[in-house]
Amino acid sequence: MQKNTPQGNTPQFDAIVIGSGIGSLTAAALLAKQRKMRVLVLEQHFTAGGQTHEFKRKSKFEFDVGLHYIGGMDQGTGKAVFDYLTEGRLQWQKMPDEFEKFVYPDFEFNVPSDLTRYRDRLVQRFPGEQAAIEQYFRDSKMAGAWYVLGHLADAVPFLVRPLLKLAYRWKGRLAALTVDAYLNQHFKDPQLKGLLASQWGDYGLPPGQAAFGMHAQVVTHYGRGGWYPVGGAKQIARSIIPVIERFGGQVMSGKTVTEILIEKGRAKGVRTKATLKPNLAPVEYFAPLVISGAGAVNTYQKLIKSDIDIPFRRRLANLPIGTSAVCVYLGLKDSPAKLGVHGENHWVYGGYDHNLAAEGGSLTENYYLSFASLKNPRATGHTAEIIVFAKYDRFSKWADGCWKRRGVDYEQLKLELAQQLIAKVDARIPGFAALVAYVDVATPLTMEHFQGNPHGEFYGLPTTPERVFQPWSNAKTPIKNLYLTGADVMLPGVMGAMMGGVKTAGVLMGPFGFFKLVKTMVEAEKQGSDAMSAGLPPHLPLEPSDAKLSAIATEPNGSNF
C-alpha cells in the first residue's frame, strides 16, 4: 500500500476532490481562489472534465460527451461564475437565433432566442390558449426559481431552514407539480402540451415524472438562446485547471477512487487504484477534507463501507433509476450546413406522448440531433451526434463484459442502431447519410464504464418533485469532513453541476457562504477581468504545463467507446 503523506505524516493537500466534472472543478477552484487551499482532484477517466470532456477520432473529429449547449452566456450569474472560475479565458459562441427545432410528424416548431418571441409564436399557433400560454411563461419564472431554492436548504443557517421549507410549500407549489400535472391543469390542446414538453431530454425525465420546477428552469435558462464553448467543451476544464494548480493543487487522471477512508466518524482521505493498471498496489491520499463529485448513489453506496451508518442509505437505494442513452457519434465528410442546418438542436418525436417515448419501446423513433462543429468556430472536422434515451436493461446482458470486449453481437447491435438512426435523419434531411465518414456508438454500458454511474445514469438523481429537501442532496454529509458536490446537490446539466460546486464551496465557507460567493463573482464580473485575477501572481502560467495538458487532451488506445 502506497501513501501520499510526506515525512511527519502531514497531508500534502488541504482537500481531496473525487471526480473532475464541472462541479468538482468548480468547488476545487473556488476553495483555491477564496481559501488558498491546495486541492487534489482525482479523476478515474484518462481525461479530466467529466461530462465536459471530449474525445477525438481520425485526428480531426472531436466529440463532446455531455455538453451540447448552455444558456445565459451573455450576462447573468452563470456567465459571472464561468468568468470567475476561468479568469475570463473561456469564450462562447452564440448559436443561431432559432436554436431549437421541435419536430413532430405533422409540423415543426422553431424556438427563437427570446422568450417574448417564443411566447408570441405559440400564441400565433394556438390562439385559443393565449391566456394559458402567457401564464405559463410567468409561472416558469416563479417555479424555476423556487425549485432552485428548494435545493439550497443546507446553504442557509440551520434555524432558517424550517422557514424556507414553509415558504416552499406556500410559494413553491407550482415547482412541486409534475410537468404533466401543470400542463393538464392549464392547457387543453394535446399538441400544445406535447410541444411545450419537447425539451424534457435536457433534464432526463418524461413529463409524468419530472418536477415542473425543473422544466421551468430549462425554459428560463434558455430564454435568450444557447451558447457553446469556443474550442469545444474541453476548454472548460483546460481553463479551470490552471487556477487549481496555481495554488499548489493538482488534477490527476487515471485514478479510480475505490473507498473514502473514514476513521472515528471522520473522512481522512481516499484509497485509489490505477484505472488502466488495476493490479498495481492501491495508493492512498490523505487530506483533512474530502469532497465527492461522484454522485450521491456512488458516494453512499460504493465509496463508504457498508458498516458505516448512513441513516438514509436504504431509502437512497430504493430511488427510481435515472436516465441513460445511446449516443451515435458521426464524423462528416463536409459541412452539414450545405444541407440547410445551421447548428440548431433538433428534437424529433414520433408523437406527442413523451411518457410513452420514455418507455423506450423503440430506440429509433425519437431522437436528439446536434451539430457541434457548426457551434464551434475552431472545430477541426465536421461532426454530428444522434442521441436516444434508452433503458439500461436493453443492454444489461452484456454488462459483465469488459470495455471493447463485449462480443460480436453487442457490436452488431450498436452498428444496426447507428444505421437505423442515420437513415431516420436522412429521411428528414436528404443527403445526410452520404456525408457520414465515421461512426462510433456509446450505450448505457459505455456511460456506466467511464462515468462510474450505476445503470449509466448521466443526469444523476432524478429531478422529481420529491428531490428537494432530501438529505442525500445536501452538500454536507453525515460523515464529518466529507461533502458532496456537483449535479446531485443542485440540478442536472453543466450549469446545474457547476452551481453545485458553488454551493459546496459556499457551505464550507460558513453561514450564507453560497450567497456571498455568488455576490463576489457577480461583482467581479461587473468590475471586469482585472478584478477577477486580483491578488494572483501575474508571472504564473495561464495554461497547464505541457505534460499535464497532454494528459488532459489525449487518451490511450485511440478509442473511447
Side-chain angles (χ1 to χ4, degrees):
M1 179 73 69
Q2 299 181 41
K3 299 183 179 182
N4 84 314
T5 52
Q7 290 184 354
N9 206 36
T10 301
Q12 182 179 350
F13 297 97
D14 300 309
I16 295 171
V17 178
I18 303 169
S20 67
I22 183 63
S24 294
L25 293 179
T26 297
L30 288 176
L31 291 175
K33 291 190 74 168
Q34 289 288 315
R35 289 291 186 265
K36 307 297 186 289
M37 293 176 68
R38 300 161 298 167
V39 185
L40 172 64
V41 179
L42 299 171
E43 169 57 49
Q44 69 167 357
H45 203 299
F46 331 126
T47 308
Q51 292 276 36
T52 65
H53 92 265
E54 294 182 346
F55 64 96
K56 181 181 281 192
R57 296 292 180 267
K58 303 295 182 181
S59 302
K60 63 177 181 178
F61 300 131
E62 295 180 300
F63 301 103
D64 54 57
V65 300
L67 187 154
H68 299 96
Y69 63 144
I70 291 181
M73 286 299 102
D74 54 340
Q75 60 181 323
T77 300
K79 179 66 161 54
V81 176
F82 263 117
D83 283 348
Y84 188 84
L85 294 172
T86 66
E87 295 168 354
R89 292 191 296 275
L90 187 63
Q91 297 176 299
W92 297 90
Q93 176 73 22
K94 185 76 161 61
M95 290 174 63
D97 177 66
E98 295 183 339
F99 70 107
E100 301 268 51
K101 184 185 288 290
F102 302 155
V103 182
Y104 290 87
D106 52 350
F107 86 111
E108 296 185 6
F109 186 94
N110 296 333
V111 181
S113 299
D114 180 84
L115 282 182
T116 299
R117 286 191 290 136
Y118 182 18
R119 179 201 64 198
D120 291 345
R121 285 189 186 182
L122 288 170
V123 171
Q124 184 179 11
R125 176 81 189 191
F126 304 94
E129 308 234 34
Q130 178 174 350
I133 291 170
E134 293 174 349
Q135 186 66 45
Y136 169 78
F137 285 95
R138 292 192 294 270
D139 288 344
S140 290
K141 293 180 181 179
M142 176 75 75
W146 275 101
Y147 198 65
V148 171
L149 286 172
H151 289 83
L152 289 174
D154 58 320
V156 299
F158 183 78
L159 294 177
V160 179
R161 294 175 195 175
L163 297 178
L164 178 58
K165 291 182 179 180
L166 183 63
Y168 189 87
R169 285 198 292 270
W170 176 40
K171 291 287 190 178
R173 291 192 300 270
L174 291 177
L177 295 173
T178 65
V179 178
D180 262 355
Y182 178 89
L183 296 178
N184 289 334
Q185 284 181 18
H186 292 80
F187 298 99
K188 298 178 181 178
D189 192 316
Q191 189 182 66
L192 176 56
K193 288 189 280 188
L195 183 68
L196 292 174
S198 297
Q199 291 166 297
W200 67 270
D202 278 334
Y203 44 86
L205 279 185
Q209 301 175 42
F212 180 68
M214 183 65 243
H215 173 84
Q217 259 294 304
V218 169
V219 173
T220 56
H221 177 68
Y222 293 111
R224 297 190 301 277
W227 282 259
Y228 192 80
V230 174
K234 63 181 180 294
Q235 296 299 333
I236 295 176
R238 288 187 175 189
S239 300
I240 297 175
I241 288 172
V243 175
I244 299 168
E245 294 177 341
R246 187 173 298 122
F247 290 91
Q250 188 175 354
V251 178
M252 298 178 64
S253 299
K255 293 284 188 179
T256 299
V257 174
T258 59
E259 183 185 343
I260 296 171
L261 302 175
I262 299 170
E263 186 177 278
K264 296 180 180 179
R266 293 176 179 269
K268 64 174 186 176
V270 298
R271 179 174 294 120
T272 71
K273 66 179 180 181
T275 304
L276 295 180
K277 298 180 179 180
N279 293 328
L280 294 178
V283 179
E284 294 181 349
Y285 298 89
F286 297 91
L289 174 66
V290 177
I291 300 171
S292 176
V297 173
N298 275 336
T299 301
Y300 290 118
Q301 305 287 10
K302 293 183 179 180
L303 301 182
I304 297 176
K305 283 187 174 181
S306 59
D307 60 351
I308 294 176
D309 181 41
I310 302 296
F312 48 79
R313 196 195 295 260
R314 182 173 297 179
R315 291 167 57 204
L316 184 61
N318 291 328
L319 289 180
I321 295 175
T323 303
S324 193
V326 170
C327 301
V328 179
Y329 298 97
L330 303 172
L332 306 180
K333 301 172 186 176
D334 202 352
S335 172
K338 66 187 293 184
L339 304 179
V341 297
H342 307 286
E344 71 279 3
N345 304 313
H346 298 239
W347 299 88
V348 183
Y349 296 103
Y352 296 99
D353 189 339
H354 295 291
N355 297 309
L356 180 62
E359 289 300 313
S362 169
L363 288 177
T364 58
E365 185 176 12
N366 313 288
Y367 61 85
Y368 168 87
L369 176 64
S370 173
F371 300 90
S373 60
L374 295 182
K375 298 180 248 185
N376 176 15
R378 295 183 188 170
T380 55
H382 285 288
T383 61
E385 297 178 24
I386 310 172
I387 301 175
V388 294
F389 289 119
K391 299 287 188 181
Y392 181 86
D393 292 347
R394 297 285 289 267
F395 302 89
S396 59
K397 63 183 289 187
W398 296 284
D400 292 335
C402 298
W403 172 52
K404 298 186 72 66
R405 296 185 180 89
R406 300 191 192 276
V408 175
D409 52 345
Y410 174 73
E411 296 300 327
Q412 183 62 33
L413 173 61
K414 293 201 300 181
L415 179 60
E416 290 174 357
L417 287 173
Q419 291 173 337
Q420 292 171 26
L421 286 166
I422 292 169
K424 293 281 278 190
V425 175
D426 191 68
R428 275 196 58 247
I429 308 175
F432 179 82
L435 284 184
V436 175
Y438 173 83
V439 180
D440 211 341
V441 182
T443 74
L445 301 182
T446 315
M447 299 175 190
E448 180 182 45
H449 173 80
F450 282 103
Q451 299 172 18
N453 295 331
H455 307 104
E457 300 163 309
F458 57 82
Y459 276 134
L461 295 174
T463 53
T464 61
E466 298 78 24
R467 192 178 192 265
V468 296
F469 300 115
Q470 297 293 350
W472 48 78
S473 292
N474 289 343
K476 190 174 183 179
T477 76
I479 307 298
K480 292 181 180 179
N481 302 339
L482 174 63
Y483 292 78
L484 296 186
T485 195
D488 280 358
V489 303
M490 278 295 284
L491 300 177
V494 173
M495 185 65 73
M498 181 180 74
M499 295 310 294
V502 177
K503 172 181 168 179
T504 302
V507 168
L508 285 162
M509 293 177 188
F512 297 107
F514 170 83
F515 304 97
K516 293 175 182 177
L517 264 180
V518 171
K519 181 181 178 182
T520 295
M521 291 184 279
V522 170
E523 289 179 347
E525 180 81 351
K526 292 179 181 178
Q527 294 169 7
S529 58
D530 289 342
M532 287 189 291
S533 57
L536 300 179
H539 62 279
L540 290 175
L542 294 179
E543 296 290 341
S545 65
D546 290 342
K548 289 173 181 174
L549 188 58
S550 176
I552 293 168
T554 60
E555 300 171 355
N557 305 322
S559 184
N560 197 38
F561 301 118

